[in-house]
Amino acid sequence: MRITTFGTIVAAIIVIAIICVTGLASALPPVVQPDQPPVVELPPTVTPTPTVTHIRPPVVSVSQLPVFEPPGPSTPTTTTTPTTTTTPVETATATATETQAPTVTPTQTRTPSIPPRPTPPTVALPQPQQNSPVGGVPAPSGQVDKMYPAVSGNNVIWVSNDSMNRSVSVQLCDIPSGNNSTISTPASVPLVMPRQLAIAENNAVWSGTNPQTGRVNIYLYDIATGRLQQVTKDEPGTPLDPGVSQDYIIWTNLTGGSGDVDLYRIAGGTATPLVTAPSYQMETAIGGNTTAWVDNTTGGDFDIVISPLSGSGGVILSEPGDDRYPGVSSDGQYVAWIKFIENRSAVYLYDVAKGNATRITGESARPDSVAVDGDLVVYSDLRNGNHDIYMYNTITGTETPVTQDPYDQSYPDVSGGVIVWMGNNTGRWDIYRTSAG
């Protein structure tokens, strides 16, 4: 009986122990094998994308545009046959009497690595001798510099900077007649900066300032009617880099730490945000139905964005380096720009219809400004130690020097085979032109 009782007690103790162990085990976390980590489902990564609003649907985000990698370079054939003798574009004395426009420095909360805009080199002017005739070589303060020309058809415009009379104006020249006129006013003083004026047929535009208010605005001058209008209305930001076509004006609006793209329909007098994003979009250009600008949304460097006015089918031309200064042909067929990689640069050309890009210059020449129209690309570079002008024929693939001399020539433009640029052949900056034949 005691044996049985003892056995019953032992069995009870074992059952109690098993229950305790089981309860303790259920209270502990499950054992994870080293080769089988627990699966953790992360929330989806949210990447902010810029909001892009086009005039007509569909809405296309810059980050959704396909990325195009330009192919390897093609080697252009260079011919040393010089072009027609250049002709200076004579100018009338500027009639504006306002003070020179101040340099605009937008307030920025962050500054990306932006290559500086190329600027004409300083020219050492010859000094008058003691036996020089009256009115000999003027001092630099008395110079009237004509700079940054733009051409369309028979019309050429440029910025005239009369430092002695503290006068800055936009000048217009009719090529067949040689007549010059001042088309800006004391309330629309142009900025003395590259890429701040453009022309297409009868539309001349520039970014300028009213010295009374100090605000920068975009101005439109109708060559046919002589009407000048202020396009922007002192809105927040700094409108710069205007481009123009027959029907539209495009510009970038710099605000604190970013730049947006605006589009203005000339006939309707309405402006529409084309791109708004927390990054830099700038150096805008337009031709036909093609718009272009530089953008650093996709990374630290700048890429070329090409988008039709319809808002669909745009591309980002992206590869290492900073892509800058795009120009669009008047028919919208070509976009030319300059790629900067460290201390090297080259001219690239994009065929909108074919959707391909080609490098048309070497990198050692260091081109610094470019324009395109029809089958001609014109640019200035430093291959000879000073700025010279060259042209590239897109049909023949040949490059031809436009100028080859010890002077500096830069900022060319082209329209219908007529090439214009600024040169310091006389010791001051003048406007020159030639025909590509």
Side-chain angles (χ1 to χ4, degrees):
M1 185 67 171
R2 282 183 292 186
I3 295 175
T4 302
T5 303
F6 179 77
T8 302
I9 294 172
V10 171
I13 293 173
I14 293 174
V15 170
I16 294 171
I18 292 173
I19 294 172
C20 292
V21 171
T22 302
L24 180 62
S26 63
L28 295 174
V31 178
V32 178
Q33 299 298 327
D35 59 343
Q36 295 180 350
V39 178
V40 180
E41 292 188 7
L42 297 175
T45 301
V46 179
T47 302
T49 58
T51 302
V52 180
T53 305
H54 292 275
I55 292 179
R56 294 185 293 275
V59 175
V60 178
S61 171
V62 171
S63 62
Q64 295 172 344
L65 297 176
V67 176
F68 181 86
E69 297 288 344
S74 63
T75 303
T77 304
T78 304
T79 173
T80 58
T81 304
T83 57
T84 309
T85 304
T86 59
T87 304
V89 178
E90 297 298 331
T91 68
T93 303
T95 59
T97 58
E98 61 278 358
T99 58
Q100 181 173 343
T103 301
V104 178
T105 305
T107 303
Q108 301 175 353
T109 56
R110 60 182 179 86
T111 303
S113 177
I114 304 177
R117 298 174 187 258
T119 55
T122 301
V123 181
L125 298 175
Q127 298 298 316
Q129 303 297 319
Q130 292 182 353
N131 58 353
S132 297
V134 176
V137 178
S141 60
Q143 296 286 324
V144 177
D145 288 310
K146 299 111 182 175
M147 301 177 288
Y148 314 125
V151 60
S152 179
N154 290 324
N155 294 308
V156 183
I157 61 174
W158 64 88
V159 174
S160 177
N161 183 14
D162 185 347
S163 56
M164 173 173 285
N165 295 313
R166 300 181 61 82
S167 172
V168 181
S169 62
V170 178
Q171 297 292 309
L172 167 68
C173 175
D174 176 76
I175 295 176
S177 67
N179 293 331
N180 299 339
S181 58
T182 301
I183 61 176
S184 61
T185 67
S188 58
V189 183
L191 301 183
V192 187
M193 296 166 54
R195 299 180 61 91
Q196 300 310 310
L197 78 168
I199 186 173
E201 299 186 10
N202 286 322
N203 299 322
V205 298
W206 64 90
S207 56
T209 183
N210 184 339
Q212 299 299 320
T213 65
R215 298 301 302 270
V216 176
N217 284 286
I218 302 296
Y219 297 90
L220 168 65
Y221 180 82
D222 188 322
I223 298 173
T225 64
R227 177 174 179 259
L228 175 65
Q229 68 179 94
Q230 181 178 318
V231 175
T232 55
K233 307 300 181 183
D234 296 329
E235 290 94 347
T238 304
L240 297 172
D241 302 333
V244 66
S245 66
Q246 182 179 358
D247 301 313
Y248 294 94
I249 303 173
I250 191 172
W251 66 85
T252 181
N253 189 44
L254 291 181
T255 56
S258 66
D260 300 325
V261 178
D262 291 332
L263 192 68
Y264 178 86
R265 187 178 180 88
I266 296 175
T270 56
T272 304
L274 190 63
V275 179
T276 57
S279 56
Y280 281 98
Q281 288 84 28
M282 58 187 190
E283 295 170 8
T284 43
I286 188 172
N289 291 320
T290 301
T291 64
W293 61 88
V294 302
D295 175 277
N296 71 341
T297 301
T298 59
D301 58 4
F302 281 90
D303 301 316
I304 300 295
V305 177
I306 300 174
S307 178
L309 289 173
S310 63
S312 61
V315 296
I316 298 178
L317 305 180
S318 176
E319 64 174 10
D322 281 301
D323 300 285
R324 303 293 302 275
Y325 316 129
V328 183
S329 59
S330 59
D331 60 1
Q333 177 63 36
Y334 291 105
V335 179
W337 73 96
I338 298 177
K339 174 179 288 294
F340 295 88
I341 302 178
E342 297 177 348
N343 62 342
R344 297 171 288 125
S345 62
V347 175
Y348 281 73
L349 182 68
Y350 181 80
D351 188 316
V352 175
K354 296 179 180 179
N356 58 33
T358 307
R359 196 182 83 187
I360 64 174
T361 71
E363 296 179 332
S364 60
R366 291 183 293 162
D368 56 11
S369 58
V370 64
V372 58
D373 190 61
D375 56 8
L376 292 179
V377 184
V378 294
Y379 43 90
S380 62
D381 67 31
L382 287 163
R383 73 184 67 181
N384 297 322
N386 61 287
H387 289 85
D388 282 315
I389 308 296
Y390 292 83
M391 67 178 180
Y392 175 87
N393 189 299
T394 62
I395 297 177
T396 64
T398 58
E399 180 190 72
T400 304
V402 178
T403 65
Q404 282 187 316
D405 52 44
Y407 306 106
D408 281 292
Q409 296 92 10
S410 191
Y411 296 103
D413 195 19
V414 59
S415 173
V418 175
I419 304 171
V420 298
W421 66 92
M422 55 185 282
N424 66 359
N425 305 43
T426 63
R428 67 186 185 197
W429 292 107
D430 283 310
I431 307 302
Y432 294 84
R433 67 177 172 87
T434 191
S435 174

